[in-house]
mmCIF file of all heavy atoms in Angstrom:
data_model
loop_
_atom_site.group_PDB
_atom_site.id
_atom_site.type_symbol
_atom_site.label_atom_id
_atom_site.label_comp_id
_atom_site.label_asym_id
_atom_site.label_seq_id
_atom_site.Cartn_x
_atom_site.Cartn_y
_atom_site.Cartn_z
ATOM 1 N N TYR C 254 -9.578 11.669 18.008
ATOM 2 C CA TYR C 254 -10.868 11.942 18.785
ATOM 3 C C TYR C 254 -10.504 12.250 20.227
ATOM 4 O O TYR C 254 -11.055 13.148 20.837
ATOM 5 C CB TYR C 254 -11.724 10.740 18.617
ATOM 6 C CG TYR C 254 -12.955 10.780 19.530
ATOM 7 C CD1 TYR C 254 -14.060 11.513 19.277
ATOM 8 C CD2 TYR C 254 -13.027 9.874 20.652
ATOM 9 C CE1 TYR C 254 -15.199 11.498 20.163
ATOM 10 C CE2 TYR C 254 -14.173 9.812 21.466
ATOM 11 C CZ TYR C 254 -15.208 10.731 21.194
ATOM 12 O OH TYR C 254 -16.288 10.602 21.997
ATOM 13 N N MET C 281 -16.525 11.981 9.613
ATOM 14 C CA MET C 281 -16.491 12.215 10.967
ATOM 15 C C MET C 281 -15.710 13.463 11.290
ATOM 16 O O MET C 281 -15.667 14.003 12.361
ATOM 17 C CB MET C 281 -15.614 11.051 11.596
ATOM 18 C CG MET C 281 -15.762 10.892 13.103
ATOM 19 S SD MET C 281 -15.000 9.318 13.574
ATOM 20 C CE MET C 281 -16.386 8.293 14.053
ATOM 21 N N ARG C 391 -24.848 16.443 24.405
ATOM 22 C CA ARG C 391 -23.989 16.607 23.222
ATOM 23 C C ARG C 391 -23.924 18.022 22.741
ATOM 24 O O ARG C 391 -24.956 18.737 22.606
ATOM 25 C CB ARG C 391 -24.566 15.873 22.061
ATOM 26 C CG ARG C 391 -24.529 14.400 22.238
ATOM 27 C CD ARG C 391 -25.313 13.667 21.246
ATOM 28 N NE ARG C 391 -25.602 12.326 21.934
ATOM 29 C CZ ARG C 391 -26.709 11.548 21.778
ATOM 30 N NH1 ARG C 391 -27.705 12.099 21.093
ATOM 31 N NH2 ARG C 391 -26.758 10.500 22.311
ATOM 32 N N PRO C 408 -13.213 14.909 24.169
ATOM 33 C CA PRO C 408 -14.026 14.134 25.351
ATOM 34 C C PRO C 408 -13.161 14.022 26.536
ATOM 35 O O PRO C 408 -11.945 13.849 26.511
ATOM 36 C CB PRO C 408 -14.306 12.784 24.635
ATOM 37 C CG PRO C 408 -13.452 12.746 23.473
ATOM 38 C CD PRO C 408 -13.115 14.025 22.976
ATOM 39 N N LEU C 414 -20.630 16.712 25.977
ATOM 40 C CA LEU C 414 -20.348 15.480 25.358
ATOM 41 C C LEU C 414 -20.092 15.532 23.841
ATOM 42 O O LEU C 414 -20.614 16.370 23.142
ATOM 43 C CB LEU C 414 -21.510 14.521 25.591
ATOM 44 C CG LEU C 414 -22.013 14.182 27.029
ATOM 45 C CD1 LEU C 414 -23.213 13.323 27.076
ATOM 46 C CD2 LEU C 414 -20.893 13.669 27.782
ATOM 47 N N VAL C 415 -19.147 14.722 23.452
ATOM 48 C CA VAL C 415 -18.673 14.825 22.049
ATOM 49 C C VAL C 415 -19.063 13.540 21.333
ATOM 50 O O VAL C 415 -18.707 12.457 21.698
ATOM 51 C CB VAL C 415 -17.099 14.959 21.983
ATOM 52 C CG1 VAL C 415 -16.667 15.160 20.564
ATOM 53 C CG2 VAL C 415 -16.573 16.082 22.906
ATOM 54 N N LEU C 416 -19.943 13.662 20.304
ATOM 55 C CA LEU C 416 -20.335 12.527 19.605
ATOM 56 C C LEU C 416 -19.841 12.570 18.076
ATOM 57 O O LEU C 416 -20.167 13.432 17.326
ATOM 58 C CB LEU C 416 -21.937 12.453 19.542
ATOM 59 C CG LEU C 416 -22.420 11.274 18.706
ATOM 60 C CD1 LEU C 416 -21.883 9.918 19.204
ATOM 61 C CD2 LEU C 416 -23.948 11.219 18.744
ATOM 62 N N ALA C 417 -18.878 11.795 17.820
ATOM 63 C CA ALA C 417 -18.292 11.653 16.444
ATOM 64 C C ALA C 417 -19.052 10.561 15.776
ATOM 65 O O ALA C 417 -19.178 9.453 16.208
ATOM 66 C CB ALA C 417 -16.758 11.339 16.585
ATOM 67 N N ASP C 418 -19.388 10.849 14.485
ATOM 68 C CA ASP C 418 -20.402 9.895 13.810
ATOM 69 C C ASP C 418 -20.055 9.566 12.395
ATOM 70 O O ASP C 418 -19.428 10.490 11.683
ATOM 71 C CB ASP C 418 -21.736 10.288 13.947
ATOM 72 C CG ASP C 418 -22.746 9.403 13.186
ATOM 73 O OD1 ASP C 418 -22.783 8.171 13.526
ATOM 74 O OD2 ASP C 418 -23.373 9.954 12.319
ATOM 75 N N TYR D 9 -27.900 9.950 31.964
ATOM 76 C CA TYR D 9 -27.503 9.285 30.762
ATOM 77 C C TYR D 9 -28.514 9.498 29.714
ATOM 78 O O TYR D 9 -28.443 8.929 28.568
ATOM 79 C CB TYR D 9 -27.207 7.862 30.908
ATOM 80 C CG TYR D 9 -26.217 7.624 32.017
ATOM 81 C CD1 TYR D 9 -26.573 7.142 33.334
ATOM 82 C CD2 TYR D 9 -24.886 8.028 31.955
ATOM 83 C CE1 TYR D 9 -25.729 6.968 34.289
ATOM 84 C CE2 TYR D 9 -23.872 7.853 32.991
ATOM 85 C CZ TYR D 9 -24.400 7.363 34.135
ATOM 86 O OH TYR D 9 -23.434 7.181 35.206
ATOM 87 N N TRP D 17 -34.825 0.930 16.747
ATOM 88 C CA TRP D 17 -34.887 -0.517 17.013
ATOM 89 C C TRP D 17 -36.369 -0.933 16.922
ATOM 90 O O TRP D 17 -37.223 -0.157 17.378
ATOM 91 C CB TRP D 17 -34.234 -0.835 18.288
ATOM 92 C CG TRP D 17 -32.746 -0.750 18.320
ATOM 93 C CD1 TRP D 17 -31.969 -0.944 17.320
ATOM 94 C CD2 TRP D 17 -32.014 -0.337 19.463
ATOM 95 N NE1 TRP D 17 -30.652 -0.769 17.697
ATOM 96 C CE2 TRP D 17 -30.702 -0.340 19.033
ATOM 97 C CE3 TRP D 17 -32.210 0.101 20.764
ATOM 98 C CZ2 TRP D 17 -29.496 -0.014 19.845
ATOM 99 C CZ3 TRP D 17 -31.193 0.430 21.631
ATOM 100 C CH2 TRP D 17 -29.782 0.321 21.149
ATOM 101 N N VAL D 26 -30.808 -4.068 26.922
ATOM 102 C CA VAL D 26 -29.332 -3.892 27.068
ATOM 103 C C VAL D 26 -29.057 -2.373 27.465
ATOM 104 O O VAL D 26 -28.381 -2.121 28.369
ATOM 105 C CB VAL D 26 -28.587 -4.241 25.850
ATOM 106 C CG1 VAL D 26 -27.114 -4.016 26.111
ATOM 107 C CG2 VAL D 26 -28.829 -5.699 25.474
ATOM 108 N N MET D 27 -29.754 -1.483 26.721
ATOM 109 C CA MET D 27 -29.451 -0.097 27.032
ATOM 110 C C MET D 27 -29.854 0.311 28.457
ATOM 111 O O MET D 27 -29.208 1.065 29.143
ATOM 112 C CB MET D 27 -30.211 0.871 25.987
ATOM 113 C CG MET D 27 -29.595 0.740 24.664
ATOM 114 S SD MET D 27 -27.793 1.042 24.595
ATOM 115 C CE MET D 27 -27.757 2.808 24.686
ATOM 116 N N VAL D 30 -27.190 -0.944 30.673
ATOM 117 C CA VAL D 30 -25.971 -0.173 30.550
ATOM 118 C C VAL D 30 -26.101 1.126 31.463
ATOM 119 O O VAL D 30 -25.250 1.400 32.217
ATOM 120 C CB VAL D 30 -25.719 0.225 29.092
ATOM 121 C CG1 VAL D 30 -24.543 1.305 29.032
ATOM 122 C CG2 VAL D 30 -25.185 -0.984 28.283
ATOM 123 N N ARG D 31 -27.301 1.783 31.356
ATOM 124 C CA ARG D 31 -27.527 2.872 32.153
ATOM 125 C C ARG D 31 -27.393 2.637 33.638
ATOM 126 O O ARG D 31 -26.856 3.305 34.473
ATOM 127 C CB ARG D 31 -28.859 3.626 31.711
ATOM 128 C CG ARG D 31 -28.816 4.391 30.376
ATOM 129 C CD ARG D 31 -29.677 5.387 30.283
ATOM 130 N NE ARG D 31 -31.163 4.998 30.618
ATOM 131 C CZ ARG D 31 -31.965 4.474 29.708
ATOM 132 N NH1 ARG D 31 -31.568 4.274 28.480
ATOM 133 N NH2 ARG D 31 -33.111 4.082 30.095
ATOM 134 N N LEU D 34 -23.778 2.032 34.604
ATOM 135 C CA LEU D 34 -23.046 3.238 34.722
ATOM 136 C C LEU D 34 -23.437 3.999 36.039
ATOM 137 O O LEU D 34 -22.549 4.548 36.702
ATOM 138 C CB LEU D 34 -23.182 4.027 33.554
ATOM 139 C CG LEU D 34 -22.701 3.422 32.231
ATOM 140 C CD1 LEU D 34 -23.095 4.376 31.082
ATOM 141 C CD2 LEU D 34 -21.206 3.222 32.312
ATOM 142 N N PRO D 41 -21.045 11.011 32.630
ATOM 143 C CA PRO D 41 -21.082 10.812 31.192
ATOM 144 C C PRO D 41 -19.920 11.323 30.358
ATOM 145 O O PRO D 41 -19.510 10.727 29.353
ATOM 146 C CB PRO D 41 -22.352 11.689 30.811
ATOM 147 C CG PRO D 41 -23.193 11.739 32.034
ATOM 148 C CD PRO D 41 -22.199 11.706 33.230
ATOM 149 N N ASN D 42 -19.344 12.412 30.874
ATOM 150 C CA ASN D 42 -18.235 13.013 30.075
ATOM 151 C C ASN D 42 -16.860 12.192 30.369
ATOM 152 O O ASN D 42 -15.905 12.543 29.665
ATOM 153 C CB ASN D 42 -18.033 14.455 30.409
ATOM 154 C CG ASN D 42 -17.660 14.698 31.765
ATOM 155 O OD1 ASN D 42 -17.973 13.907 32.645
ATOM 156 N ND2 ASN D 42 -16.788 15.738 32.005
ATOM 157 N N LYS D 43 -16.931 11.310 31.258
ATOM 158 C CA LYS D 43 -15.669 10.477 31.512
ATOM 159 C C LYS D 43 -15.745 9.043 30.851
ATOM 160 O O LYS D 43 -14.881 8.281 31.146
ATOM 161 C CB LYS D 43 -15.409 10.320 33.044
ATOM 162 C CG LYS D 43 -15.117 11.673 33.735
ATOM 163 C CD LYS D 43 -13.843 12.260 33.184
ATOM 164 C CE LYS D 43 -13.472 13.620 33.853
ATOM 165 N NZ LYS D 43 -12.325 14.245 33.091
ATOM 166 N N VAL D 44 -16.786 8.914 30.087
ATOM 167 C CA VAL D 44 -16.894 7.582 29.403
ATOM 168 C C VAL D 44 -16.798 7.875 27.925
ATOM 169 O O VAL D 44 -17.370 8.798 27.384
ATOM 170 C CB VAL D 44 -18.303 7.011 29.632
ATOM 171 C CG1 VAL D 44 -18.422 5.646 28.882
ATOM 172 C CG2 VAL D 44 -18.444 6.794 31.231
ATOM 173 N N ALA D 45 -16.023 7.077 27.189
ATOM 174 C CA ALA D 45 -15.995 7.081 25.750
ATOM 175 C C ALA D 45 -16.747 5.760 25.235
ATOM 176 O O ALA D 45 -16.281 4.657 25.586
ATOM 177 C CB ALA D 45 -14.583 7.145 25.192
ATOM 178 N N HIS D 46 -17.768 5.985 24.467
ATOM 179 C CA HIS D 46 -18.705 4.870 24.152
ATOM 180 C C HIS D 46 -18.459 4.720 22.647
ATOM 181 O O HIS D 46 -18.834 5.574 21.800
ATOM 182 C CB HIS D 46 -20.102 5.367 24.450
ATOM 183 C CG HIS D 46 -21.149 4.277 24.262
ATOM 184 N ND1 HIS D 46 -22.462 4.664 24.020
ATOM 185 C CD2 HIS D 46 -21.078 2.980 24.296
ATOM 186 C CE1 HIS D 46 -23.131 3.614 23.782
ATOM 187 N NE2 HIS D 46 -22.369 2.512 24.010
ATOM 188 N N VAL D 47 -17.894 3.618 22.248
ATOM 189 C CA VAL D 47 -17.566 3.314 20.775
ATOM 190 C C VAL D 47 -18.351 2.273 20.204
ATOM 191 O O VAL D 47 -18.742 1.280 20.858
ATOM 192 C CB VAL D 47 -16.049 2.993 20.836
ATOM 193 C CG1 VAL D 47 -15.601 2.834 19.399
ATOM 194 C CG2 VAL D 47 -15.157 4.022 21.450
ATOM 195 N N SER D 48 -18.739 2.424 18.933
ATOM 196 C CA SER D 48 -19.396 1.342 18.277
ATOM 197 C C SER D 48 -19.005 1.241 16.853
ATOM 198 O O SER D 48 -18.242 2.101 16.265
ATOM 199 C CB SER D 48 -20.899 1.524 18.344
ATOM 200 O OG SER D 48 -21.361 2.533 17.515
ATOM 201 N N GLY D 49 -19.487 0.170 16.227
ATOM 202 C CA GLY D 49 -19.234 0.013 14.780
ATOM 203 C C GLY D 49 -20.534 0.281 14.045
ATOM 204 O O GLY D 49 -21.245 1.320 14.219
ATOM 205 N N ALA D 53 -27.123 -2.958 16.922
ATOM 206 C CA ALA D 53 -26.550 -2.738 18.272
ATOM 207 C C ALA D 53 -25.626 -1.489 18.297
ATOM 208 O O ALA D 53 -25.637 -0.689 19.196
ATOM 209 C CB ALA D 53 -25.742 -3.951 18.758
ATOM 210 N N ALA D 54 -24.969 -1.335 17.177
ATOM 211 C CA ALA D 54 -24.014 -0.311 16.979
ATOM 212 C C ALA D 54 -24.578 1.096 17.036
ATOM 213 O O ALA D 54 -23.838 2.167 17.091
ATOM 214 C CB ALA D 54 -23.102 -0.542 15.855
ATOM 215 N N LYS D 55 -25.861 1.196 16.966
ATOM 216 C CA LYS D 55 -26.546 2.550 17.027
ATOM 217 C C LYS D 55 -26.546 3.074 18.422
ATOM 218 O O LYS D 55 -26.909 4.238 18.670
ATOM 219 C CB LYS D 55 -27.979 2.541 16.500
ATOM 220 C CG LYS D 55 -27.941 2.256 14.985
ATOM 221 C CD LYS D 55 -29.470 2.082 14.533
ATOM 222 C CE LYS D 55 -29.455 1.769 13.018
ATOM 223 N NZ LYS D 55 -30.789 1.203 12.529
ATOM 224 N N ALA D 56 -26.055 2.349 19.397
ATOM 225 C CA ALA D 56 -26.206 2.614 20.815
ATOM 226 C C ALA D 56 -25.664 3.962 21.169
ATOM 227 O O ALA D 56 -26.388 4.798 21.952
ATOM 228 C CB ALA D 56 -25.466 1.558 21.610
ATOM 229 N N PRO D 57 -24.527 4.453 20.648
ATOM 230 C CA PRO D 57 -24.083 5.813 21.048
ATOM 231 C C PRO D 57 -24.995 6.936 20.703
ATOM 232 O O PRO D 57 -24.889 8.025 21.398
ATOM 233 C CB PRO D 57 -22.793 5.896 20.172
ATOM 234 C CG PRO D 57 -22.322 4.582 19.896
ATOM 235 C CD PRO D 57 -23.603 3.765 19.692
ATOM 236 N N HIS D 58 -25.982 6.649 19.796
ATOM 237 C CA HIS D 58 -26.959 7.728 19.619
ATOM 238 C C HIS D 58 -28.070 7.745 20.634
ATOM 239 O O HIS D 58 -28.854 8.694 20.660
ATOM 240 C CB HIS D 58 -27.448 7.526 18.149
ATOM 241 C CG HIS D 58 -26.523 7.721 17.106
ATOM 242 N ND1 HIS D 58 -26.059 8.878 16.571
ATOM 243 C CD2 HIS D 58 -25.690 6.705 16.568
ATOM 244 C CE1 HIS D 58 -25.152 8.668 15.742
ATOM 245 N NE2 HIS D 58 -24.917 7.365 15.589
ATOM 246 N N TYR D 59 -28.190 6.777 21.531
ATOM 247 C CA TYR D 59 -29.265 6.557 22.393
ATOM 248 C C TYR D 59 -28.964 6.620 23.847
ATOM 249 O O TYR D 59 -29.679 6.315 24.717
ATOM 250 C CB TYR D 59 -29.994 5.228 22.135
ATOM 251 C CG TYR D 59 -30.430 4.990 20.664
ATOM 252 C CD1 TYR D 59 -30.382 3.724 20.144
ATOM 253 C CD2 TYR D 59 -30.706 6.017 19.872
ATOM 254 C CE1 TYR D 59 -30.700 3.475 18.766
ATOM 255 C CE2 TYR D 59 -31.211 5.880 18.534
ATOM 256 C CZ TYR D 59 -31.127 4.611 18.003
ATOM 257 O OH TYR D 59 -31.554 4.352 16.749
ATOM 258 N N ILE D 60 -27.713 7.211 24.097
ATOM 259 C CA ILE D 60 -27.347 7.395 25.479
ATOM 260 C C ILE D 60 -26.477 8.589 25.562
ATOM 261 O O ILE D 60 -25.632 8.845 24.692
ATOM 262 C CB ILE D 60 -26.752 6.079 26.131
ATOM 263 C CG1 ILE D 60 -26.388 6.154 27.544
ATOM 264 C CG2 ILE D 60 -25.562 5.682 25.304
ATOM 265 C CD1 ILE D 60 -26.008 4.919 28.263
ATOM 266 N N ASP D 61 -26.591 9.369 26.650
ATOM 267 C CA ASP D 61 -25.700 10.529 26.759
ATOM 268 C C ASP D 61 -24.365 10.235 27.402
ATOM 269 O O ASP D 61 -24.153 10.288 28.595
ATOM 270 C CB ASP D 61 -26.496 11.628 27.633
ATOM 271 C CG ASP D 61 -27.618 12.196 26.789
ATOM 272 O OD1 ASP D 61 -27.622 12.191 25.616
ATOM 273 O OD2 ASP D 61 -28.561 12.737 27.454
ATOM 274 N N LEU D 62 -23.461 9.856 26.394
ATOM 275 C CA LEU D 62 -22.035 9.677 26.833
ATOM 276 C C LEU D 62 -21.340 10.315 25.606
ATOM 277 O O LEU D 62 -21.811 10.491 24.558
ATOM 278 C CB LEU D 62 -21.801 8.202 26.874
ATOM 279 C CG LEU D 62 -22.557 7.359 27.875
ATOM 280 C CD1 LEU D 62 -22.293 5.853 27.735
ATOM 281 C CD2 LEU D 62 -22.063 7.707 29.305
ATOM 282 N N ASN D 63 -19.995 10.358 25.833
ATOM 283 C CA ASN D 63 -19.196 10.719 24.679
ATOM 284 C C ASN D 63 -19.336 9.544 23.783
ATOM 285 O O ASN D 63 -19.294 8.436 24.241
ATOM 286 C CB ASN D 63 -17.637 10.863 25.034
ATOM 287 C CG ASN D 63 -17.375 12.191 25.857
ATOM 288 O OD1 ASN D 63 -17.837 13.266 25.416
ATOM 289 N ND2 ASN D 63 -16.846 12.038 26.977
ATOM 290 N N GLY D 64 -19.303 9.800 22.419
ATOM 291 C CA GLY D 64 -19.594 8.725 21.527
ATOM 292 C C GLY D 64 -18.711 8.689 20.287
ATOM 293 O O GLY D 64 -18.348 9.775 19.852
ATOM 294 N N PHE D 65 -18.318 7.561 19.823
ATOM 295 C CA PHE D 65 -17.565 7.412 18.567
ATOM 296 C C PHE D 65 -18.212 6.274 17.850
ATOM 297 O O PHE D 65 -18.039 5.118 18.154
ATOM 298 C CB PHE D 65 -16.082 7.110 18.958
ATOM 299 C CG PHE D 65 -15.221 7.004 17.714
ATOM 300 C CD1 PHE D 65 -14.254 7.990 17.524
ATOM 301 C CD2 PHE D 65 -15.268 5.842 16.793
ATOM 302 C CE1 PHE D 65 -13.346 7.840 16.350
ATOM 303 C CE2 PHE D 65 -14.438 5.826 15.759
ATOM 304 C CZ PHE D 65 -13.432 6.756 15.529
ATOM 305 N N ASN D 66 -19.000 6.690 16.799
ATOM 306 C CA ASN D 66 -19.691 5.593 16.034
ATOM 307 C C ASN D 66 -18.948 5.404 14.731
ATOM 308 O O ASN D 66 -18.991 6.174 13.769
ATOM 309 C CB ASN D 66 -21.137 6.067 15.659
ATOM 310 C CG ASN D 66 -22.033 4.991 15.058
ATOM 311 O OD1 ASN D 66 -23.217 5.126 14.936
ATOM 312 N ND2 ASN D 66 -21.359 3.930 14.566
ATOM 313 N N GLY D 67 -18.109 4.378 14.796
ATOM 314 C CA GLY D 67 -17.194 4.163 13.570
ATOM 315 C C GLY D 67 -17.817 3.190 12.595
ATOM 316 O O GLY D 67 -18.954 3.098 12.406
ATOM 317 N N GLY D 72 -15.021 -1.118 15.552
ATOM 318 C CA GLY D 72 -15.208 -0.446 16.700
ATOM 319 C C GLY D 72 -13.935 -0.608 17.652
ATOM 320 O O GLY D 72 -13.558 0.323 18.326
ATOM 321 N N PRO D 75 -10.504 1.998 17.290
ATOM 322 C CA PRO D 75 -10.547 3.295 17.891
ATOM 323 C C PRO D 75 -10.740 3.240 19.436
ATOM 324 O O PRO D 75 -10.179 4.012 20.213
ATOM 325 C CB PRO D 75 -11.747 3.961 17.234
ATOM 326 C CG PRO D 75 -12.422 2.918 16.522
ATOM 327 C CD PRO D 75 -11.591 1.840 16.314
ATOM 328 N N ALA D 76 -11.472 2.263 19.937
ATOM 329 C CA ALA D 76 -11.772 2.198 21.356
ATOM 330 C C ALA D 76 -10.406 1.989 22.074
ATOM 331 O O ALA D 76 -10.147 2.726 23.068
ATOM 332 C CB ALA D 76 -12.659 0.909 21.576
ATOM 333 N N ILE D 79 -8.329 5.207 21.961
ATOM 334 C CA ILE D 79 -8.794 6.262 22.817
ATOM 335 C C ILE D 79 -8.258 6.035 24.271
ATOM 336 O O ILE D 79 -7.783 6.942 24.939
ATOM 337 C CB ILE D 79 -10.364 6.244 22.920
ATOM 338 C CG1 ILE D 79 -10.948 6.719 21.521
ATOM 339 C CG2 ILE D 79 -10.948 7.059 24.106
ATOM 340 C CD1 ILE D 79 -12.404 6.576 21.370
ATOM 341 N N LEU D 86 -10.175 8.073 30.651
ATOM 342 C CA LEU D 86 -11.561 7.688 30.162
ATOM 343 C C LEU D 86 -11.824 6.277 30.350
ATOM 344 O O LEU D 86 -11.042 5.488 30.222
ATOM 345 C CB LEU D 86 -11.676 8.086 28.626
ATOM 346 C CG LEU D 86 -11.606 9.519 28.286
ATOM 347 C CD1 LEU D 86 -11.561 9.672 26.747
ATOM 348 C CD2 LEU D 86 -12.755 10.290 28.822
ATOM 349 N N THR D 87 -13.154 6.119 30.761
ATOM 350 C CA THR D 87 -13.645 4.693 30.821
ATOM 351 C C THR D 87 -14.133 4.368 29.359
ATOM 352 O O THR D 87 -14.931 5.048 28.877
ATOM 353 C CB THR D 87 -14.802 4.552 31.791
ATOM 354 O OG1 THR D 87 -14.314 4.838 33.046
ATOM 355 C CG2 THR D 87 -15.415 3.070 31.729
ATOM 356 N N VAL D 88 -13.510 3.362 28.786
ATOM 357 C CA VAL D 88 -13.892 3.091 27.336
ATOM 358 C C VAL D 88 -14.823 1.840 27.270
ATOM 359 O O VAL D 88 -14.416 0.711 27.871
ATOM 360 C CB VAL D 88 -12.675 2.796 26.509
ATOM 361 C CG1 VAL D 88 -13.027 2.529 25.084
ATOM 362 C CG2 VAL D 88 -11.755 4.109 26.608
ATOM 363 N N ILE D 89 -15.890 1.962 26.642
ATOM 364 C CA ILE D 89 -16.936 0.861 26.427
ATOM 365 C C ILE D 89 -17.212 0.839 25.015
ATOM 366 O O ILE D 89 -17.614 1.814 24.390
ATOM 367 C CB ILE D 89 -18.178 1.155 27.293
ATOM 368 C CG1 ILE D 89 -17.844 1.352 28.774
ATOM 369 C CG2 ILE D 89 -19.247 0.037 27.013
ATOM 370 C CD1 ILE D 89 -19.051 1.747 29.582
ATOM 371 N N ALA D 90 -17.061 -0.336 24.429
ATOM 372 C CA ALA D 90 -17.496 -0.578 23.014
ATOM 373 C C ALA D 90 -18.713 -1.514 22.978
ATOM 374 O O ALA D 90 -18.853 -2.372 23.775
ATOM 375 C CB ALA D 90 -16.330 -1.127 22.196
ATOM 376 N N GLN D 91 -19.578 -1.149 22.129
ATOM 377 C CA GLN D 91 -20.871 -1.910 22.016
ATOM 378 C C GLN D 91 -21.027 -2.181 20.420
ATOM 379 O O GLN D 91 -20.886 -1.264 19.679
ATOM 380 C CB GLN D 91 -22.106 -1.179 22.450
ATOM 381 C CG GLN D 91 -22.378 -1.306 23.921
ATOM 382 C CD GLN D 91 -23.773 -0.846 24.274
ATOM 383 O OE1 GLN D 91 -24.730 -1.676 24.124
ATOM 384 N NE2 GLN D 91 -23.914 0.366 24.832
ATOM 385 N N SER D 92 -21.372 -3.379 20.154
ATOM 386 C CA SER D 92 -21.743 -3.692 18.829
ATOM 387 C C SER D 92 -22.222 -5.115 18.656
ATOM 388 O O SER D 92 -22.326 -5.835 19.622
ATOM 389 C CB SER D 92 -20.494 -3.521 17.894
ATOM 390 O OG SER D 92 -20.844 -3.169 16.562
ATOM 391 N N MET D 115 -10.524 -1.960 28.693
ATOM 392 C CA MET D 115 -11.776 -1.460 28.117
ATOM 393 C C MET D 115 -12.765 -2.642 28.206
ATOM 394 O O MET D 115 -12.461 -3.769 28.474
ATOM 395 C CB MET D 115 -11.598 -1.077 26.666
ATOM 396 C CG MET D 115 -11.102 -2.181 25.842
ATOM 397 S SD MET D 115 -11.349 -1.761 24.011
ATOM 398 C CE MET D 115 -13.169 -1.965 23.842
ATOM 399 N N THR D 116 -13.975 -2.226 27.956
ATOM 400 C CA THR D 116 -15.107 -3.235 27.934
ATOM 401 C C THR D 116 -15.802 -3.415 26.683
ATOM 402 O O THR D 116 -16.121 -2.373 25.984
ATOM 403 C CB THR D 116 -16.165 -2.826 29.070
ATOM 404 O OG1 THR D 116 -15.616 -2.788 30.304
ATOM 405 C CG2 THR D 116 -17.359 -3.739 28.990
ATOM 406 N N LEU D 117 -15.961 -4.613 26.190
ATOM 407 C CA LEU D 117 -16.600 -4.802 24.948
ATOM 408 C C LEU D 117 -17.906 -5.572 25.252
ATOM 409 O O LEU D 117 -17.980 -6.715 25.767
ATOM 410 C CB LEU D 117 -15.731 -5.707 23.976
ATOM 411 C CG LEU D 117 -16.414 -6.215 22.695
ATOM 412 C CD1 LEU D 117 -16.839 -5.071 21.820
ATOM 413 C CD2 LEU D 117 -15.570 -7.215 21.909
ATOM 414 N N LEU D 118 -19.051 -4.888 24.815
ATOM 415 C CA LEU D 118 -20.324 -5.522 24.997
ATOM 416 C C LEU D 118 -20.785 -5.946 23.589
ATOM 417 O O LEU D 118 -21.015 -5.170 22.660
ATOM 418 C CB LEU D 118 -21.303 -4.559 25.589
ATOM 419 C CG LEU D 118 -20.953 -3.859 26.887
ATOM 420 C CD1 LEU D 118 -22.067 -2.872 27.335
ATOM 421 C CD2 LEU D 118 -20.713 -4.911 27.984
ATOM 422 N N HIS D 120 -23.667 -7.435 21.465
ATOM 423 C CA HIS D 120 -25.011 -7.755 21.410
ATOM 424 C C HIS D 120 -25.153 -8.930 20.416
ATOM 425 O O HIS D 120 -25.190 -8.804 19.305
ATOM 426 C CB HIS D 120 -25.887 -6.598 20.873
ATOM 427 C CG HIS D 120 -25.967 -5.356 21.654
ATOM 428 N ND1 HIS D 120 -27.077 -4.701 21.900
ATOM 429 C CD2 HIS D 120 -25.008 -4.732 22.377
ATOM 430 C CE1 HIS D 120 -26.821 -3.681 22.602
ATOM 431 N NE2 HIS D 120 -25.565 -3.625 22.834
#
Side-chain angles (χ1 to χ4, degrees):
Chain C
Y254 170 76
M281 198 172 249
R391 293 164 200 144
L414 303 180
V415 186
L416 178 58
D418 177 55
Chain D
Y9 309 106
W17 291 325
V26 180
M27 289 309 279
V30 168
R31 286 207 305 276
L34 295 175
N42 67 327
K43 292 297 179 189
V44 178
H46 184 209
V47 182
S48 76
K55 290 175 184 165
H58 297 275
Y59 305 147
I60 183 167
D61 288 336
L62 299 169
N63 290 306
F65 182 110
N66 186 169
I79 290 168
L86 293 172
T87 295
V88 178
I89 301 172
Q91 273 195 81
S92 204
M115 63 163 286
T116 296
L117 171 63
L118 307 179
H120 295 225

